[in-house]
Amino acid sequence: MGAIADFFEVVSSFLWGWPMIILLLGTHLFLTIRLRFPQRHIFKAIRLSVTPDKGSIGDVSQFGALATALAATIGTGNIVGVATAIALGGPGAVLWCWLTGVFGISTKYAEGLLAIKYRKQTSDGKMIGGPMYALEYGLGWKWAAVLFAVFTACASFGIGNTVQANAISTIARESYDIPTFVSGIIISVLTGAVVLGGVKSIAKVCGALVPFMALFYSLGCIYILCENYAFIWPAIKLIVSSAFSPEAAGGGFVGSTVMTAARYGIARGLFSNESGMGSAPIVAAAAQTRNPVRQALVSSSGTFWDTVVICALTGLVIVSSIIAYPDISYDDGAALTKQAFSKIPYVGTPLLTFGLVTFAFSTILGWSYYGEKAVEYLSGKKWIRLYRVLYILVVFIGSIASLIAVWNFADCMNAMMAIPNLLSLLLLSGVIVNETRKYLWEGRLDSEE
């Protein structure tokens, strides 16, 4: 196991090095410019996300699709991931993480548009789509579509399943002394009760869970910031100055130069919002929408909520707490998160526990759908039930197992998903522009496809 872990660590470091960061961020910037800054339509996107598109073809509402995508996206990366970026890259990493989310809105928009443009209807009337269909029918790259589906199915058991289940069982054991096998049974039963019902069941639960957990966590962060109010402005100044200053941020952040701040901030931001990874468009394809641009706008709002809002709040909480309590150490992201939140009496630790548990569980639900659709693309519906049963079983295994190689394996699979998806976005950018011109720029957003 040690050799396997080392192998995936080397491969992961290579895949998520500067070439991948440049490709992802470059795609964000390219699409932002070519699509005339779709970020300016974010409030229209938010309005559309809560406006049912009645009478349109699809399996779930636009909000249901968005909630499912957010369920998979909003995970432990929004809390521990931000802290890890700060621990490794200094406070400036928060700004780079935030900027990645701002520009990532364009990429998420493009993914959502292609998902609707190239989606297909199955024999039983269900909608199915995602990057594998854009690759096959948009570019004619069947081989790349197959590879994407394989990597997605593998990733669903990694970052979408075992890692999240392990996080929940670990928190339950450390905070409340609950045995991991008990947590594993509970998580497996809850997961089974939802995923066996298919996309409508997943969307219904996520539609109820995601707004509640995101709002509760955000309000908790705002409360903590009110407690740290005297340190908010110094925290903002430190974040901005250390993001662009060639000097170390000082204190425990020795060596956190501009390059390290940018590297870890961008990498964690990309990992958090999944813009460019190709996961969210799989569920976007199931949305009830009258044309591709409406769902593209709705999809883009997911990155806004995930990174621009939630990750920013987490970053401000942690950096302001570091300034307020100089005894906090910065060596480890998970430890930094615990220390920062535990400094706030009464609400700090319960808020962190609630956030991590609900965020991790929602990720398990969202990724189950991604993996299921990847399996369906590869083999049809005959293996779907087996996949669901296996997924539930692996949830239990992840809860009780020691994860040595899983994190790096998951990172590798996510990177291998991103590469063909990003190529499809760049090569099909002309299609994206034409659809955007037709429905958005020419004011026909309410028109049928």
Side-chain angles (χ1 to χ4, degrees):
M1 285 299 292
I4 296 174
D6 292 341
F7 170 77
F8 281 118
E9 183 176 2
V10 171
V11 176
S12 175
S13 298
F14 170 76
L15 290 173
W16 283 103
W18 277 109
M20 174 62 78
I21 291 175
I22 291 170
L23 176 61
L24 276 162
L25 192 58
T27 302
H28 290 353
L29 293 171
F30 171 76
L31 291 173
T32 293
I33 295 170
R34 186 149 196 213
L35 294 172
R36 303 179 186 176
F37 293 83
Q39 293 88 342
R40 59 198 173 97
H41 300 291
I42 192 62
F43 293 110
K44 181 182 294 183
I46 294 171
R47 177 179 60 80
L48 286 174
S49 70
V50 294
T51 304
D53 205 351
K54 296 179 180 179
S56 299
I57 298 174
D59 302 329
V60 296
S61 67
Q62 289 180 310
F63 179 76
L66 173 63
T68 303
L70 277 173
T73 305
I74 299 177
T76 54
N78 294 80
I79 304 177
V80 178
V82 174
T84 301
I86 295 171
L88 296 173
V94 175
L95 181 61
W96 288 107
C97 180
W98 187 79
L99 289 173
T100 301
V102 171
F103 290 109
I105 289 173
S106 300
T107 301
K108 192 63 72 73
Y109 169 93
E111 290 178 313
L113 190 152
L114 292 181
I116 300 298
K117 177 69 177 177
Y118 294 107
R119 69 180 178 177
K120 302 297 177 182
Q121 193 166 23
T122 62
S123 57
D124 59 357
K126 302 291 173 115
M127 303 306 297
I128 186 169
M132 49 275 203
Y133 293 86
L135 286 163
E136 179 178 354
Y137 298 102
L139 293 175
W141 291 4
K142 175 71 173 180
W143 60 272
V146 170
L147 287 176
F148 177 87
V150 170
F151 294 137
T152 301
C154 292
S156 71
F157 289 105
I159 193 61
N161 186 319
T162 51
V163 168
Q164 308 299 330
N166 189 265
I168 295 174
S169 64
T170 300
I171 294 165
R173 185 189 68 235
E174 292 180 354
S175 301
Y176 304 105
D177 201 29
I178 299 174
T180 55
F181 79 91
V182 173
S183 299
I185 293 173
I186 295 172
I187 303 167
S188 299
V189 170
L190 292 175
T191 301
V194 179
V195 303
L196 291 177
V199 65
K200 291 186 177 181
S201 175
I202 295 171
K204 184 177 180 180
V205 172
C206 291
L209 178 62
V210 168
F212 172 73
M213 73 180 192
L215 179 62
F216 184 88
Y217 179 75
S218 298
L219 289 175
C221 286
I222 292 171
Y223 172 83
I224 293 176
L225 289 175
C226 290
E227 291 288 313
N228 291 349
Y229 72 94
F231 305 98
I232 294 177
W233 183 241
I236 294 173
K237 290 196 294 184
L238 179 60
I239 288 169
V240 174
S241 63
S242 59
F244 298 104
S245 171
E247 302 297 327
F253 300 106
V254 177
S256 53
T257 61
V258 140
M259 293 300 289
T260 54
R263 177 186 175 189
Y264 290 109
I266 292 171
R268 293 298 170 179
L270 295 169
F271 187 77
S272 169
N273 59 54
E274 297 183 11
S275 294
M277 194 179 295
S279 50
I282 296 175
V283 69
Q288 296 168 342
T289 185
R290 69 186 70 178
N291 62 62
V293 171
R294 288 177 73 92
Q295 182 55 38
L297 288 168
V298 172
S299 294
S300 71
S301 68
T303 299
F304 172 79
W305 293 120
D306 174 83
T307 306
V308 179
V309 176
I310 294 179
C311 284
L313 283 173
T314 302
L316 271 178
V317 165
I318 292 173
V319 176
S320 64
S321 297
I322 288 170
I323 298 174
Y325 306 100
D327 60 316
I328 292 179
S329 62
Y330 324 112
D331 298 332
D332 176 75
L336 173 56
T337 306
K338 283 185 178 181
Q339 291 179 79
F341 279 81
S342 65
K343 291 293 183 180
I344 307 302
Y346 307 115
V347 302
T349 300
L351 172 66
L352 177 61
T353 302
F354 174 83
L356 286 172
V357 169
T358 55
F359 285 10
F361 180 65
S362 70
T363 300
I364 292 173
L365 298 182
W367 268 93
S368 71
Y369 182 75
Y370 297 160
E372 178 178 316
K373 289 303 165 184
V375 170
E376 184 175 344
Y377 176 81
L378 293 169
S379 62
K381 291 184 175 294
K382 61 181 179 179
W383 297 108
I384 294 300
R385 187 169 296 277
L386 176 61
Y387 170 82
R388 291 175 179 173
V389 172
L390 184 60
Y391 193 85
I392 295 166
L393 177 63
V394 173
V395 167
F396 178 77
I397 294 172
S399 301
I400 62 175
S402 175
L403 303 183
I404 300 175
V406 171
W407 261 110
N408 288 320
F409 169 78
D411 284 348
C412 292
M413 293 301 102
N414 289 342
M416 297 305 290
M417 288 172 60
I419 293 171
N421 178 58
L422 290 169
L423 289 176
S424 71
L425 293 174
L426 293 172
L427 295 175
L428 293 172
S429 60
V431 174
I432 299 168
V433 169
N434 288 337
E435 293 291 312
T436 302
R437 179 182 294 110
K438 177 181 178 181
Y439 294 106
L440 184 59
W441 298 343
E442 295 180 358
R444 295 203 291 264
L445 198 57
D446 293 331
S447 300
E448 297 289 341
E449 187 175 5

